[in-house]
Amino acid sequence: MCQLLGMNCNTPTDIVFSFTGFATRGGRTDEHKDGWGIAFFEGKGVRHFVDHQAAIDSPIAELIKRYPIKSTNVIAHIRKATQGVIALENCHPFIREAWGCQWVFAHNGDLKDFEPQLDGSFLPIGSTDSERAFCYIMQCLRTRFGMHMPTLEELRTFLAGLCNQIAKHGTFNMMLSNGGVLFAHCSTKLHYIERQHPFNTAALSDEDVSVDFAQVTTPKDRVAVIVTEPLTSNEHWTAIQSGEMKVFVDGRALV
Amino acid sequence: MCQLLGMNCNTPTDIVFSFTGFATRGGRTDEHKDGWGIAFFEGKGVRHFVDHQAAIDSPIAELIKRYPIKSTNVIAHIRKATQGVIALENCHPFIREAWGCQWVFAHNGDLKDFEPQLDGSFLPIGSTDSERAFCYIMQCLRTRFGMHMPTLEELRTFLAGLCNQIAKHGTFNMMLSNGGVLFAHCSTKLHYIERQHPFNTAALSDEDVSVDFAQVTTPKDRVAVIVTEPLTSNEHWTAIQSGEMKVFVDGRALV
């Protein structure tokens, strides 16, 4: 299995604190050592880093821990291979373009007997069930909505149904973002927290590191962090329910 | 205008030497300071780095100069903005998937009145003429070849015609790779060199750096480097002719 980390904010924010704890699980405090990846939206552009080394040994992960890239939407993944060999093309997150936007996707879980018919509009490059599911989602979106980018409400309804359909094949915790919104579907395990004014100090569970967010934020900032297992030991994380999809916009889960 | 750098090899090779000279043109020895990018194929996977800072100031460019990523196909670009603002989504190289492969593209030049009709299968994310041309190329490829990936000979013939058609709109020096082959079309300026046994020492034009390739290669290695302006001062570079497309496979230009 793997672990997922997402961030959605109303103002560009760096993910150094959360990524530091998360990357530690990629080979030190946990067994997810078969590669990792992270994608940062900056406007419509994306910085995409993938590596088939363990995050804990990766010079690129080191760079990200030191170099604060500010982003409003981030998706990261550490991999423990279940399907697909250890190779760069099997590292999440995966990216495709649709409607002139980048779509970034990562998955935690394992799908059995999942062989959807793909029409060629989006095809997997690697051999994971995850990328197959992503291509299927993008194909279904394009088939359903054609040339016109769906509204947020249309996307939300359609994706919630589609994720529950895919989840019949196994565990399907996933995150998907187009840079404006972050969708998080929970099949077995996913937690989130919304940080906003007044900000407090948070302490990582996986490293002896704390940060006082009050020192690095303004009162109007809002940041949602979504992750497989809570990253901090002194904050309250909310579990997303099995079968539920949360939609994050401007650092807040829509109700 | 911009500058292009490509590498095609028969064995995974690092591009540290060539990139060091090339990146220096991104703000020090030349004026290309409006962003840069590089894509490395590793098997079917791609490492893609883009930055809207000048290459000379970029911590990610620093990492690439220090950390030898070995690849058989690389495309890099330093940008001097002509069309499209300075933004991450306007940094080359651009990537799209087709037939389950990544396609990586970068362009040097400026296209006038180039507004091809795009059917939605590949749409630009940013606002450059370059990404528009890339999307048009991918759309034409898919329209022409449908679900079946074309052979190298089909690709070569089709792309050569298409590039000359696009070049009617202005300067269109471009590189395109799917990880197996690298296409380089010259409209005004592009040079290449093929290095093979017996290897010699090469000295960069833009930095006081030399490397003795005999020390870091085996006799069977072959490496082709393609670039806007020759990178070394003591080797013979071949100019690609205007209107000509060279196809590089396994470190050698096909005849």
Side-chain angles (χ1 to χ4, degrees):
Chain A
M1 299 298 237
C2 312
Q3 291 208 14
L4 296 171
L5 169 65
M7 185 175 75
N8 169 272
C9 324
N10 69 344
T11 189
T13 303
D14 81 63
I15 198 169
V16 169
F17 175 73
S18 296
F19 184 74
T20 299
F22 186 68
T24 304
R25 297 177 184 173
R28 186 179 299 155
T29 57
D30 212 331
E31 59 178 2
H32 310 91
K33 58 178 174 43
D34 299 332
W36 65 280
I38 189 166
F40 300 84
F41 278 94
E42 266 184 50
K44 298 187 76 180
V46 170
R47 293 179 194 266
H48 181 222
F49 302 89
V50 280
D51 206 346
H52 47 62
Q53 297 181 67
I56 202 73
D57 298 325
S58 163
I60 301 172
E62 265 312 300
L63 175 81
I64 291 169
K65 284 194 265 179
R66 286 198 323 266
Y67 175 46
I69 298 173
K70 297 206 168 194
S71 173
T72 48
N73 281 282
V74 179
I75 293 179
H77 182 270
I78 46 178
R79 181 162 187 246
K80 166 109 177 61
T82 51
Q83 295 185 34
V85 297
I86 300 173
L88 197 61
E89 67 267 26
N90 288 337
C91 292
H92 311 217
F94 303 105
I95 306 187
R96 292 293 186 281
E97 171 267 316
W99 299 293
C101 289
Q102 308 266 26
W103 295 74
V104 170
F105 171 90
H107 166 223
N108 149 244
D110 200 9
L111 301 172
K112 304 286 186 199
D113 305 319
F114 181 68
E115 298 291 345
Q117 198 157 5
L118 297 176
D119 65 14
S121 51
F122 300 93
L123 291 176
I125 293 158
S127 54
T128 62
D129 51 340
S130 308
E131 194 187 10
R132 201 151 62 234
F134 177 40
C135 290
Y136 178 65
I137 289 173
M138 295 310 296
Q139 172 180 309
C140 290
L141 283 171
R142 185 169 285 166
T143 305
R144 169 69 183 78
F145 296 104
M147 285 288 282
H148 300 289
M149 169 109 166
T151 64
L152 177 55
E153 214 34 63
E154 285 172 329
L155 272 173
R156 180 183 192 167
T157 306
F158 189 76
L159 285 172
L162 194 55
C163 287
N164 279 321
Q165 177 199 322
I166 296 170
K168 289 182 181 154
H169 291 268
T171 303
F172 192 62
N173 303 299
M174 76 96 194
M175 293 185 195
L176 175 70
S177 178
N178 62 3
V181 51
L182 192 150
F183 301 93
H185 178 266
C186 176
S187 144
T188 56
K189 199 184 284 185
L190 219 45
H191 297 81
Y192 73 97
I193 192 168
E194 294 165 297
R195 296 193 183 110
Q196 59 188 354
H197 183 77
F199 290 94
N200 293 311
T201 295
L204 287 181
S205 313
D206 296 76
E207 292 254 7
D208 186 16
V209 174
S210 294
V211 66
D212 178 4
F213 287 116
Q215 302 293 321
V216 290
T217 50
T218 70
K220 67 165 192 47
D221 292 0
R222 276 201 316 268
V223 178
V225 177
I226 309 101
V227 69
T228 302
E229 293 280 7
L231 284 165
T232 56
S233 50
N234 66 334
E235 296 178 298
H236 177 68
W237 293 74
T238 304
I240 306 180
Q241 299 303 302
S242 173
E244 187 185 10
M245 192 175 72
K246 284 281 180 195
V247 183
F248 296 89
V249 179
D250 289 336
R252 193 140 53 183
L254 299 183
V255 287
Chain B
M1 299 297 238
C2 312
Q3 291 208 14
L4 296 172
L5 169 65
M7 184 176 75
N8 168 273
C9 325
N10 70 343
T11 189
T13 303
D14 81 63
I15 197 166
V16 169
F17 175 73
S18 296
F19 185 74
T20 299
F22 186 68
T24 303
R25 298 177 183 174
R28 186 179 301 157
T29 56
D30 212 332
E31 58 177 4
H32 309 90
K33 57 178 176 42
D34 300 332
W36 65 280
I38 190 166
F40 300 85
F41 277 93
E42 266 184 51
K44 297 187 75 179
V46 170
R47 294 179 194 266
H48 181 222
F49 302 90
V50 280
D51 206 346
H52 48 61
Q53 297 181 67
I56 203 73
D57 299 326
S58 162
I60 301 172
E62 264 313 299
L63 176 81
I64 291 168
K65 284 194 266 179
R66 284 198 324 265
Y67 174 46
I69 297 173
K70 297 206 168 194
S71 173
T72 48
N73 281 282
V74 179
I75 292 179
H77 183 269
I78 46 178
R79 180 161 187 247
K80 165 109 175 65
T82 51
Q83 295 184 33
V85 296
I86 300 173
L88 196 62
E89 67 267 25
N90 288 336
C91 293
H92 310 216
F94 304 104
I95 306 187
R96 292 293 185 280
E97 171 267 316
W99 299 293
C101 289
Q102 307 267 26
W103 295 74
V104 170
F105 171 90
H107 166 223
N108 147 244
D110 200 9
L111 300 173
K112 305 284 186 202
D113 304 319
F114 181 68
E115 297 291 344
Q117 197 156 7
L118 298 176
D119 65 13
S121 51
F122 301 92
L123 291 176
I125 293 158
S127 53
T128 62
D129 52 340
S130 309
E131 194 186 10
R132 202 153 58 233
F134 177 40
C135 289
Y136 178 64
I137 289 173
M138 295 310 295
Q139 173 180 309
C140 290
L141 282 172
R142 184 169 284 166
T143 304
R144 169 68 184 78
F145 297 104
M147 285 288 281
H148 301 290
M149 169 111 166
T151 63
L152 177 55
E153 214 33 64
E154 286 172 330
L155 271 172
R156 180 182 192 168
T157 307
F158 189 75
L159 285 172
L162 195 54
C163 287
N164 279 322
Q165 177 198 323
I166 295 170
K168 290 182 182 156
H169 291 270
T171 304
F172 192 63
N173 303 299
M174 76 94 196
M175 293 186 194
L176 175 70
S177 178
N178 62 4
V181 51
L182 192 150
F183 301 94
H185 178 267
C186 175
S187 145
T188 56
K189 199 184 283 185
L190 218 44
H191 298 80
Y192 72 97
I193 193 168
E194 293 165 297
R195 297 193 183 111
Q196 58 189 355
H197 184 76
F199 290 95
N200 294 309
T201 295
L204 287 182
S205 315
D206 296 78
E207 293 252 6
D208 186 16
V209 174
S210 294
V211 66
D212 178 3
F213 287 116
Q215 302 295 320
V216 291
T217 50
T218 70
K220 67 167 193 42
D221 292 0
R222 277 203 315 269
V223 178
V225 177
I226 310 101
V227 69
T228 302
E229 293 281 7
L231 284 166
T232 56
S233 50
N234 66 334
E235 295 179 297
H236 176 70
W237 293 74
T238 304
I240 306 180
Q241 299 304 303
S242 175
E244 187 185 11
M245 193 175 72
K246 282 281 180 196
V247 183
F248 295 90
V249 179
D250 289 337
R252 192 140 56 184
L254 299 185
V255 288

